[in-house]
Amino acid sequence: MYEINNAAVIGAGTMGLGIAGQLANCGVEVLLLDLPSAGKNRNAVCERAIERLLDETQPGLLHQKNLNRITVGNIEDDLHKLDKVDWIAEAVVERLDIKKDLYRRIDAVRKPGSIVSSNTSTIPISLLVEGMPESFQAEFAITHFFNPVRYMRLLELVQGEYTKQEVMDCLERFNEESMGKGIVVCQDTPGFLGNRVGVFAIQKALHTAFQMNLKPEEADAIFGRPMGIPKTGVFGLYDLIGIDLMNDVAKSLERILPERDVFHTVASEIPVMKRMINEGFIGNKGGKGGFYRQDNITAKETLDFDEFSYRPYNNDKPNIAIEAEIAGDFTRLLEGNDLHSIYAWEILSETLCYAASLVPEVNESLVAIDDAMKLGYNWIRGPFEMIDAIGTDQFVERLRKEGRNVPAFLATAVNKSFYRVLGDELQYLLADGRYRKLSRASGIARFSEKRRTLSSIYKNKCASYFILPDDIGLIEFHSKANTLDSHSMQLVEAAVSHASNQCRTLIIHNDAQHFSCGVNLEGVLDFIHREDFDGIDQFLHHFQQTCLSLRDSPIPVIAAPSGLSLGGGYEVVLHADKVIYHANSVTGLVESLVGVVPGGGGVKEILYRWIEEENNVEQGAWQAFMNIGYGKTARSPLEAAELCMFRSGIDDYVMNRDRLLYSAIRIGNAIKEDYVPRSRKKVAVAGPQVFEKMVAWLENAHHKGHLTPHDVTTGSQIAMIVTGGDIAQGIEVTEQHFLDLERKAFVHLAQTVETRARIKHMLEYGSPLRN
């Protein structure tokens, strides 16, 4: 029985460092080795690399304290330490000679029963282990992680001819449960699955855009969110990763893929990109810019290919892109005959056919390909789910009308679908035309799959309510970015009422990228434009009372968020009995950034928690004032604990987001039958004296240039709430008093020109306005 209790990573580059960081995140002691430095500090390479794990823009650690689990060294002085390591993960340069030399040195010192793996995606496993002892080959595999390792969910596993199944089982179990990865087992074929399909789609989108003479903004408006693909699009993605690096990735796949592979049709070098690389216009990392460049928040520019100079960015999206994104239906992109619809069809038809051509020769399971794209490239749907959404027969008919080749596996699905529901089972199509039940590992449950076998009890355009087996209710948000409005809260209200009588537990969860990005700001801005401030107050009052109904329900309420849980979305989470987070959950009350205050009970709840933490009313008020005033967010539950947004001993988290639903069900079932709803007792207020101190602090910070004038205005309203308004210090009030103050402050700020400007700026640019 193989077990991984400690590990070593060799190679402190981007991938190796990311693997080491994630090992530390899951509680494993890890040894990080690289080449020795020439100077006095022979471990300088690894020590410099470690600093990148603390990068504020994309931290590799759940908390800085996890750094204590990483020990650094070098492969000349410290290779002997591998004799105590269970798993040795190699992530060095993609050169076979260097890797094989390293393996010989590793095998000389590693302990029997240790596992060795390579992070490669371009070198066949048969070549990696050629000439190595049988004992080494038996304990060697490929573990292909995706960058950034902390955030990208996909891990591709490749088994060698002589690799023991017990080794593969151990790697799969450990990486799924502890490292939080979605596992796709791949055959030893070039590019495996994720990069083979993903890079093909990117290259197809790139080459077709140039062939059709589309501007980068036009292409990215289609090949982005409207298509169910990350918002960067193709040109934005090239800039993000690096035009030079993406160019190298395409070339490497071109070298290793068979001559007849369709990938070669989208691999040729594009002249303007060659010039960009030669002149240093390689994207975000280069400093000069790439396809886009941005000097500040509002001054984004686009490279004009004909003039090879930058022009103002065109923010006007094609109508079909807007319609598809609002509807959450990518098929709308394919309905027209205009240039942009043709562009969308060209990309999708080629990419989906390419994916279908890989079954069964490259992988026998279409589920593996769909998982690879969803977990490794953040697609909302996998290729075969997209074909089902289009309609298999319609898709094939259009291909045939155009005289296009139809892959054999795609032809097998004619008059069928790739996925089907039979009873309470979700099944998928095999290459021989039969169906097989879609089964996941123990503890894994994706609601996006489970939902297909259920019928909703209540549903509107923003949310749905279901009953799961064992009398468990589930609320799912499904609006754009899962923002909340009156429809969302009406559904929650109805679900709480129904579940209180029919269920033993109520879960709030969804399988989207983000749990909820907060209250719908477009709706708030509409209230402001109509000067319907009574309407704002009524909406907030209903929001508050609905959140209280979650907490006061006679059955336990479990929130299971992942991605962003911000603003109003996080206020919902704050009122659950227990919360099971994904390890990368981002939480916070960020309303001050748009010139308002949390109005759904968020200020009240954070204030109570800080008073309990500090055991002091005034200190608790100051902590809540700072947290909410600065709009502080936590990028993990470990960071959230320091902001009283994660309750140790009550809340919990999992490394794998596919375990959220199962864990929430387990927690709900474990709560005893004698469950009693918790309530908030009266609390003494900090009073006007503390309010005056807070206002003085705000004005002093403004005088020093740290805060803007409207920061002071917003902060003063937050101070008013957390100190209790005009109630004298020490007087006890109910939580309803703080809820009333939240609404009063929100409505007051909503009437200011500055708040209107902040909300409008956030909606247009996605970033705060400093006014």
Side-chain angles (χ1 to χ4, degrees), residues 639-659:
E639 291 184 359
E642 297 178 346
L643 300 174
C644 278
M645 297 193 296
F646 178 90
R647 301 163 296 181
S648 299
I650 298 177
D651 301 330
D652 204 351
Y653 71 93
V654 294
M655 294 295 290
N656 191 333
R657 67 176 290 171
D658 284 340
R659 289 184 171 270

Side-chain angles (χ1 to χ4, degrees), residues 21 24-25 53-54 59-64 66-67 70 150 639:
N25 285 335
L53 283 176
L54 306 178
L61 298 176
L62 297 178
H63 194 282
Q64 290 189 10
N66 289 350
L67 199 62
I70 303 176
R150 173 182 167 185
E639 291 184 359

Side-chain angles (χ1 to χ4, degrees), residues 21-242:
Q22 190 68 354
L23 283 162
N25 285 335
C26 70
V28 171
E29 298 292 327
V30 55
L31 174 65
L32 179 63
L33 304 179
D34 206 300
L35 294 169
S37 297
K40 292 181 180 180
N41 182 4
R42 290 173 61 79
N43 298 334
V45 173
C46 286
E47 290 181 5
R48 286 195 302 268
I50 286 292
E51 296 174 4
R52 300 201 304 274
L53 283 176
L54 306 178
D55 182 1
E56 285 293 319
T57 61
Q58 197 170 65
L61 298 176
L62 297 178
H63 194 282
Q64 290 189 10
K65 67 182 181 181
N66 289 350
L67 199 62
N68 297 329
R69 297 194 180 108
I70 303 176
T71 303
V72 300
N74 66 81
I75 59 173
E76 286 189 7
D77 303 331
D78 302 296
L79 205 65
H80 66 279
K81 296 178 181 178
L82 299 181
D83 66 349
K84 296 181 174 60
V85 170
D86 296 327
W87 176 25
I88 303 162
E90 170 267 305
V92 302
V93 65
E94 290 286 87
R95 277 184 50 183
L96 181 60
D97 57 335
I98 292 176
K99 290 180 183 288
K100 295 193 71 168
D101 178 67
L102 179 61
Y103 296 158
R104 286 187 284 269
R105 296 176 62 189
I106 289 172
D107 199 41
V109 296
R110 75 183 183 100
K111 69 177 183 180
S114 62
I115 297 172
V116 182
S117 73
S118 174
N119 188 61
T120 186
S121 65
T122 61
I123 305 176
I125 194 170
S126 57
L127 294 181
L128 291 173
V129 298
E130 187 177 29
M132 293 297 295
E134 289 184 8
S135 58
F136 182 89
Q137 295 189 44
E139 295 173 332
F140 184 88
I142 287 177
T143 50
H144 181 222
F145 291 88
F146 281 66
N147 182 49
V149 177
R150 173 182 167 185
Y151 295 99
M152 297 307 294
R153 299 164 61 195
L154 178 61
L155 172 64
E156 294 179 320
L157 288 181
V158 182
Q159 184 173 10
E161 182 180 359
Y162 301 105
T163 310
K164 293 180 182 177
Q165 187 57 46
E166 298 91 332
V167 168
M168 300 302 294
D169 292 343
C170 175
L171 287 170
E172 183 167 356
R173 181 175 61 251
F174 174 80
N175 280 285
E176 187 273 306
E177 295 178 3
S178 299
M179 294 280 276
K181 299 303 169 187
I183 308 299
V184 171
V185 178
C186 300
Q187 297 180 30
D188 191 21
T189 55
F192 307 140
L193 287 180
N195 282 346
R196 188 160 183 180
V197 177
V199 177
F200 177 86
I202 293 167
Q203 289 296 111
K204 180 62 184 177
L206 180 77
H207 279 255
T208 305
F210 276 101
Q211 291 162 7
M212 297 179 67
N213 201 29
L214 291 178
K215 295 179 174 61
E217 299 99 323
E218 293 178 281
D220 287 353
I222 300 296
F223 188 76
R225 281 178 173 167
M227 201 175 279
I229 290 168
K231 65 179 181 180
T232 51
V234 56
F235 290 99
L237 182 62
Y238 255 82
D239 276 356
L240 179 66
I241 296 175

Side-chain angles (χ1 to χ4, degrees), residues 49 125 128 207 231 245 267 298 322 327 377 407 463 490 604 620 716 735:
I125 194 170
L128 291 173
H207 279 255
K231 65 179 181 180
L245 180 57
T298 58
I322 296 172
Y377 280 79
Q490 287 165 8
K604 175 266 301 181
S716 297
E735 63 179 333

Side-chain angles (χ1 to χ4, degrees), residues 215 217 292-293 298-304 309-315:
K215 295 179 174 61
E217 299 99 323
Y292 304 110
R293 72 178 182 186
T298 58
K300 188 174 182 179
E301 297 177 315
T302 307
L303 185 65
D304 185 294
S309 61
Y310 286 93
R311 57 167 175 77
Y313 177 86
N314 184 355
N315 201 36

Side-chain angles (χ1 to χ4, degrees), residues 711-733:
D711 288 338
V712 176
T713 302
T714 306
S716 297
Q717 291 298 305
I718 296 168
M720 181 272 293
I721 301 168
V722 299
T723 58
D726 57 3
I727 304 295
Q729 187 177 45
I731 299 296
E732 291 189 342
V733 299

Side-chain angles (χ1 to χ4, degrees), residues 149-431:
V149 177
R150 173 182 167 185
Y151 295 99
M152 297 307 294
R153 299 164 61 195
L154 178 61
L155 172 64
E156 294 179 320
L157 288 181
V158 182
Q159 184 173 10
E161 182 180 359
Y162 301 105
T163 310
K164 293 180 182 177
Q165 187 57 46
E166 298 91 332
V167 168
M168 300 302 294
D169 292 343
C170 175
L171 287 170
E172 183 167 356
R173 181 175 61 251
F174 174 80
N175 280 285
E176 187 273 306
E177 295 178 3
S178 299
M179 294 280 276
K181 299 303 169 187
I183 308 299
V184 171
V185 178
C186 300
Q187 297 180 30
D188 191 21
T189 55
F192 307 140
L193 287 180
N195 282 346
R196 188 160 183 180
V197 177
V199 177
F200 177 86
I202 293 167
Q203 289 296 111
K204 180 62 184 177
L206 180 77
H207 279 255
T208 305
F210 276 101
Q211 291 162 7
M212 297 179 67
N213 201 29
L214 291 178
K215 295 179 174 61
E217 299 99 323
E218 293 178 281
D220 287 353
I222 300 296
F223 188 76
R225 281 178 173 167
M227 201 175 279
I229 290 168
K231 65 179 181 180
T232 51
V234 56
F235 290 99
L237 182 62
Y238 255 82
D239 276 356
L240 179 66
I241 296 175
I243 295 170
D244 54 339
L245 180 57
M246 275 299 299
N247 190 58
D248 290 342
V249 170
K251 285 182 177 178
S252 68
L253 281 171
E254 186 181 20
R255 285 194 302 269
I256 63 176
L257 287 171
E259 288 185 9
R260 291 178 295 176
D261 196 280
V262 181
F263 185 87
H264 294 289
T265 64
V266 295
S268 60
E269 196 166 45
I270 295 172
V272 71
M273 290 177 60
K274 183 177 181 180
R275 179 179 176 184
M276 291 173 71
I277 294 170
N278 290 338
E279 296 186 22
F281 293 90
I282 57 174
N284 300 354
K285 65 179 182 178
K288 285 186 172 183
F291 293 112
Y292 304 110
R293 72 178 182 186
Q294 192 161 340
D295 294 331
N296 55 56
I297 292 171
T298 58
K300 188 174 182 179
E301 297 177 315
T302 307
L303 185 65
D304 185 294
F305 299 138
D306 295 329
E307 301 295 330
F308 206 78
S309 61
Y310 286 93
R311 57 167 175 77
Y313 177 86
N314 184 355
N315 201 36
D316 294 332
K317 294 183 178 180
N319 288 334
I320 61 164
I322 296 172
E323 293 169 4
E325 185 174 355
I326 291 174
D329 181 4
F330 77 95
T331 65
R332 295 197 179 190
L333 297 173
L334 309 177
E335 292 175 352
N337 295 312
D338 60 283
L339 187 68
H340 300 115
S341 292
I342 294 170
Y343 177 63
W345 168 251
E346 285 296 314
I347 298 168
L348 284 176
S349 60
E350 290 285 348
T351 301
L352 301 183
C353 284
Y354 187 64
S357 72
L358 303 180
V359 181
E361 286 78 10
V362 173
N363 200 295
E364 66 175 10
S365 172
L366 66 89
V367 177
I369 296 175
D370 277 353
D371 279 354
M373 297 314 300
K374 291 188 290 185
L375 300 176
Y377 280 79
N378 282 334
W379 288 18
I380 292 176
R381 295 178 178 88
F384 298 97
E385 291 172 322
M386 296 181 86
I387 297 174
D388 276 353
I390 296 168
T392 307
D393 292 356
Q394 294 92 320
F395 184 64
V396 171
E397 182 182 2
R398 184 167 178 179
L399 291 174
R400 286 174 173 165
K401 280 184 177 179
E402 295 176 0
R404 306 261 293 275
N405 178 55
V406 177
F409 182 50
L410 179 55
T412 302
V414 172
N415 298 322
K416 299 179 181 178
S417 59
F418 286 109
Y419 293 91
R420 73 174 186 184
V421 175
L422 187 64
D424 61 353
E425 284 187 4
L426 179 61
Q427 301 178 336
Y428 65 95
L429 186 67
L430 301 174

